[in-house]
Amino acid sequence: MKWVEDILQTVEMLQNEHLDVRAVNMGIDLFDCADRDIDRTCALIRQKIVRCASGLVRACESISRRYGIPIVNKRVAVSPIADVAAGHSIEDLIKVAVALDEAAADVGVDLIGGYSALVQKGMTESDKMLIESLPHVLSSTSRVCASVNAASTGAGINVDALLLLGRVWRETAERTADSDGFGCCKLSVFANIPEDNPFMAGAYKGIGEPETVINIGVSGPGVIKRAVERLVQSGRHCDLGSIAEEIKSTAFRVTRCGELIGREVAKALGASFGIVDLSLAPTTEVGDSVGEIFEAMGVRNVGGPGTTAALAMLNDAVKKGGAFASSSVGGLSGAFIPVAEDATLAKAAEAGHLSLEKLEAMTSVCSVGLDMIALPGDTSPETLAAIAMDELSIGVVNRKTTSVRLIPVPGKKAGDRAVFGGLFGESPVVPVPNGASDVFVRLGGRIPAPLVSLNN
Amino acid sequence: MKEYIVTVLARDRVGIVRDVASALAGIGGNITHVSQTVVRGYFTLILSVEMPDERTQLEIRQAVERRGAVGELEVNVMPFAAEPTCETGEAERFTLSMRGRDAPGLIARATGYLADNRINIEDVYAYVHGGEALILAQVAIPNSLDTEQVQAGLQEALEGFDVAAHLQHENIFRATNEIDPVLAL
C-alpha cells in the first residue's frame, strides 16, 4: 500500500540513511552594538549574542528529541564586523573577534560566522584592516569564521582584495602550520555571497535580514544516494530522467524535514524563520558523500568524463524538489563538493581522478566552489589569488554564488596528505599545474562587471 | 433518531458494502461514518448509522443479515454512546513502526507496554511476510511522557524479540508525504 511505503521510506531516511539537519544557524544583528568605545562595543556584542542565542542549543536539542531528527551543528552568524566596527583600529577589530569567540563559547556553539567584509567593488579602511587581521584572528580564536565577498555580478572582481587575501592565506596557514594550515578552513572568499547562508565558514547575517533569524541547512547525500541505489537495483527500467525524478522527490522530503525543524526552532526562540538551504552537505562518514551519489549513478571514477553532467543533473533535481517543497528556500542551495570533507571526493583526488581543473569545471554547475582544497604550501600568494579569480569569475559571469576555501598546507607538496580533523576531514594536497600568472594578477584593480544582456 | 454502531465480518466478495448500505437505507437508516478493510480475504466494516426511533437492534441486524447468503454476514449492532473524552489528557500523535522477525506474543508485548503507559492506539496495520513482521500504529502519547523514554522503554519491553521499534512524530510524515505547506501543520 502506498501509505505504508511512504511511512517506511521516511522511517528509513531517518534511521538508516543519515537524514539530519546539518545546521541550525541563528543570525543576529549587531549594528546596535556599535560604539566609539571598542570595549563597550565588545561588551554589547557579547551581551546581545548571549541574550538572543543562550537558548539555541537547548531548543535544538528539545526539538531534535521531539521529532527524532538529529541536529548536527548549532551556530550563530552576525552582521559583517567590518561594518559593525568601522572606524576602529586593527587591534580593536581583533578585540571584537575575541568577544565573538567568547560569546560563542558562552552560548555553546562550535562556530560563529560574520567576521566578514563585503569588498566586491572596493575596500573601506575597516574592510582592509579586517582582512589584514585575519591571520591573527583565525590562528588565535577557535570558533570565529570569516568571509570576504570579493566579487559580484553587479560589481565585477576586486583583484586588489584577492591579492591581499593571497598573502592572508599564506600567513594564516603558516601561523597554524601545526594543524596543516587549519586556520584557512575558517575563511571563505565569495562571489555573490548570499545573506542567508547557514553553512560555515561563509555564514553571516545579511544587512537585509531581520533582527534575529533562523536559517536551516539540510543534509541528505546519504538519503539521495540510497534512493538512487534503490531505483537502479529495483530492476525497473531506469534512465537518467527517472533518476532525476527520484532525486527530486527525495529532495522534497528532505527539505520538508528541514523546514519543519526550522520553524519550530524559530518559534521556540521568538526569532524569524528565514530559509532552508537545500545544499547537499557531505561529511567524512561513509554513506554521507556526494561522490557516492555519482558512483550510484554509474560514474566509474569521480572526476572522470560524465562527472560534471551527473553533478548538473543532481543539482538541478535537488533544487526542483526543494523549491516545490518550500517557498522559503535560499542560501547556497546546491551540491557541495568540499574535497577534504567528502571521503569519496578525497579518495578520487588521491587517485588522480579529480584535479583542480575538473573541480573548477564542476563548480560551474553547482554551489559553493573550490571548497576545502589543500594546496602545496609554497603556492605563491599571487597564484592563490589567481585560483580565486578563476573561481569567482564563474560565479560573476553565471550570476551565481561561487567561493574558495583554499589551504596552502605549510611544508607539504602535491600528493602529501593534509589532516584537519573532525568534520573538516582530510585530503591529499592537489597539484597546481601550468605555472604562475603573477604578472597578470599583480596588475591589480578590478575586473569590470560583466554584461548581463546580449545573452545568446 | 437514534444512532447505532454496526459491524460486519464476512469473506470478501464484490458488493458487500452495497448490500449493507441498501439494507440500512431500506429501513430508514442514514449512514454517517464508515471504515472498511480487507485482511487476507476477509472483509470487515464498521459504520455509524442514524435510525428512526422505532427501529430495534434486532431489526437492524436482521435487515443486514438477510442481504447475504445464510450465515454469510456476521453482524453486530450496538447503540452509540457519546464519544469518550480522552483518557490520557493532552496528547500528541506519533507513528510507531516495528519491523523484525515474527514471533508469538510480539504484538501483545508491544501493546501491553503502550497500554501500561496510557498510550492509546488509534490505528494499526500489521502483516507478516516470509517470517518478517511489520507493524505500523498511530498512537497518542500523553504530553506528560518523554518520547525518548517511551522509545527506550518500548525497545526494552521487546527484549527477546528480534524487532526494532521506532517512534516518529506524525508531523514528520505529514511534512514529507503531504503536498500542503509545512506552515499548515
Side-chain angles (χ1 to χ4, degrees):
Chain A
M1 274 188 283
K2 183 71 177 70
W3 69 269
V4 173
E5 283 174 28
D6 287 341
I7 286 179
L8 292 179
Q9 194 174 344
T10 303
V11 169
E12 193 68 12
M13 280 166 54
L14 294 165
Q15 302 300 333
N16 300 324
E17 296 173 2
H18 297 283
L19 176 69
D20 54 41
V21 169
R22 185 53 45 85
V24 170
N25 192 309
M26 182 176 216
I28 303 173
D29 190 275
L30 292 186
F31 281 104
D32 56 353
C33 302
D35 195 279
R36 296 307 306 164
D37 176 351
I38 197 64
D39 292 327
R40 184 168 155 73
T41 299
C42 290
L44 289 171
I45 284 175
R46 200 164 162 180
Q47 282 165 22
K48 182 157 186 187
I49 291 171
V50 170
R51 187 174 77 244
C52 296
S54 59
L56 176 64
V57 172
R58 200 170 50 248
C60 286
E61 284 170 354
S62 157
I63 289 159
S64 174
R65 267 200 309 276
R66 180 165 186 245
Y67 287 108
I69 296 181
I71 298 175
V72 180
N73 299 305
K74 301 98 184 169
R75 285 156 180 178
V76 168
V78 299
S79 312
I81 292 300
D83 296 321
V84 173
H88 291 284
S89 66
I90 193 165
E91 291 75 20
D92 291 347
L93 282 162
I94 291 168
K95 280 187 177 179
V96 173
V98 171
L100 291 175
D101 204 36
E102 290 170 350
D106 289 343
V107 299
V109 298
D110 63 339
L111 295 173
I112 182 166
Y115 196 76
S116 307
L118 311 175
V119 301
Q120 60 272 22
K121 206 165 184 180
M123 290 181 279
T124 63
E125 281 305 305
S126 182
D127 292 330
K128 198 162 175 242
M129 283 190 288
L130 183 134
I131 293 172
E132 285 169 345
S133 74
L134 288 172
H136 182 96
V137 167
L138 296 174
S139 60
S140 62
T141 61
S142 56
R143 293 175 168 84
V144 175
C145 287
S147 57
V148 177
N149 192 56
S152 73
T153 302
I157 303 172
N158 186 341
V159 179
D160 291 334
L162 290 176
L163 267 169
L164 189 55
L165 282 160
R167 291 196 289 277
V168 164
W169 274 310
R170 280 293 297 270
E171 194 185 333
T172 304
E174 295 294 344
R175 282 175 179 248
T176 53
D178 58 345
S179 52
D180 281 345
F182 174 71
C184 293
C185 299
K186 297 183 285 176
L187 168 62
S188 289
V189 176
F190 281 87
N192 297 322
I193 189 170
E195 293 195 323
D196 49 11
N197 161 30
F199 289 105
M200 295 297 178
Y204 82 105
K205 204 221 71 132
I207 292 166
E209 297 285 303
E211 180 76 15
T212 53
V213 60
I214 294 293
N215 294 318
I216 298 294
V218 293
S219 174
V223 180
I224 301 276
K225 178 199 144 197
R226 280 297 301 137
V228 172
E229 277 179 349
R230 266 196 301 270
L231 180 66
V232 170
Q233 292 163 4
S234 68
R236 282 181 282 156
H237 171 69
C238 162
D239 62 9
L240 291 172
S242 49
I243 290 179
E245 287 299 323
E246 189 69 26
I247 293 170
K248 206 167 77 174
S249 59
T250 307
F252 173 90
R253 291 167 187 264
V254 170
T255 306
R256 282 299 184 86
C257 285
E259 185 177 354
L260 179 68
I261 297 293
R263 287 192 182 280
E264 292 271 329
V265 174
K267 193 172 154 197
L269 295 172
S272 303
F273 173 68
I275 56 92
V276 180
D277 188 320
L278 307 177
S279 297
L280 293 180
T283 67
T284 49
E285 270 186 63
V286 172
D288 201 23
S289 150
V290 170
E292 287 177 28
I293 301 175
F294 302 144
E295 290 177 342
M297 285 187 202
V299 174
R300 187 196 230 172
N301 295 314
V302 177
T307 307
T308 308
L311 178 57
M313 187 181 93
L314 168 67
N315 209 49
D316 181 68
V318 166
K319 282 187 203 171
K320 284 172 177 162
F324 181 64
S326 172
S327 297
S328 302
V329 168
L332 294 161
S333 285
F336 288 0
I337 47 171
V339 174
E341 294 173 357
D342 185 311
T344 304
L345 296 183
K347 208 168 129 196
E350 193 157 25
H353 302 310
L354 198 53
S355 64
L356 196 60
E357 300 91 316
K358 184 65 180 182
L359 281 164
E360 193 179 299
M362 289 164 72
T363 63
S364 64
V365 297
C366 74
S367 67
V368 193
L370 293 174
D371 196 19
M372 291 297 291
I373 309 292
L375 298 169
D378 61 357
T379 309
S380 73
E382 288 81 2
T383 298
L384 292 168
I387 292 169
M389 285 167 68
D390 284 348
E391 183 57 42
L392 301 194
S393 298
I394 290 170
V396 166
V397 171
N398 294 299
R399 289 174 250 171
K400 68 191 281 296
T401 301
T402 51
S403 76
V404 290
R405 205 160 31 145
L406 305 177
I407 307 115
V409 185
K412 294 206 172 166
K413 57 185 190 311
D416 289 346
R417 194 151 196 85
V419 179
F420 308 113
L423 278 177
F424 292 93
E426 56 184 89
S427 82
V429 175
V430 298
V432 183
N434 303 325
S437 303
D438 295 11
V439 175
F440 172 64
V441 179
R442 280 198 206 111
L443 289 172
R446 180 167 58 92
I447 295 179
L451 192 65
V452 290
S453 60
L454 305 176
N455 287 326
N456 294 325
Chain B
M1 300 286 269
K2 285 183 183 167
E3 288 185 279
Y4 294 90
I5 298 296
V6 179
T7 63
V8 181
L9 172 65
R11 271 194 71 81
D12 191 31
R13 64 165 168 81
V14 173
I16 300 178
V17 177
R18 177 204 59 194
D19 293 344
V20 173
S22 56
L24 295 170
I27 55 173
N30 178 42
I31 296 169
T32 59
H33 301 72
V34 181
S35 177
Q36 181 248 302
T37 192
V38 176
V39 175
R40 301 194 71 196
Y42 278 80
F43 167 102
T44 59
L45 171 75
I46 179 166
L47 60 81
S48 176
V49 63
E50 294 170 339
M51 278 287 167
D53 290 342
E54 64 273 19
R55 293 292 179 201
T56 64
Q57 283 176 248
L58 183 63
E59 283 176 313
I60 298 167
R61 182 164 64 81
Q62 288 176 339
V64 176
E65 282 173 345
R66 278 198 289 268
R67 292 295 175 134
V70 176
E72 182 194 16
L73 303 179
E74 193 173 311
V75 182
N76 277 296
V77 179
M78 65 172 68
F80 173 74
E83 286 189 55
T85 51
C86 184
E87 296 171 47
T88 55
E90 289 288 305
E92 288 194 67
R93 283 201 180 116
F94 285 74
T95 295
L96 167 64
S97 60
M98 293 190 285
R99 289 173 93 173
R101 182 154 299 285
D102 185 40
L106 171 60
I107 293 179
R109 182 81 66 85
T111 54
Y113 174 82
L114 298 176
D116 290 346
N117 286 279
R118 315 286 296 157
I119 295 168
N120 192 33
I121 298 171
E122 297 183 345
D123 203 356
V124 67
Y125 169 85
Y127 75 83
V128 176
H129 182 71
E132 292 292 307
L134 168 68
I135 302 156
L136 294 174
Q138 188 175 59
V139 298
I141 300 185
N143 290 353
S144 55
L145 296 180
D146 180 301
T147 318
E148 267 190 333
Q149 284 176 9
V150 172
Q151 161 94 49
L154 180 59
Q155 197 64 64
E156 199 181 315
L158 291 172
E159 203 180 323
F161 290 94
D162 184 14
V163 167
H166 297 290
L167 276 169
Q168 301 287 162
H169 197 283
E170 79 162 346
N171 281 356
I172 293 288
F173 298 100
R174 294 187 61 197
T176 54
N177 294 303
E178 293 177 7
I179 290 177
D180 290 344
V182 169
L183 260 177
L185 295 179

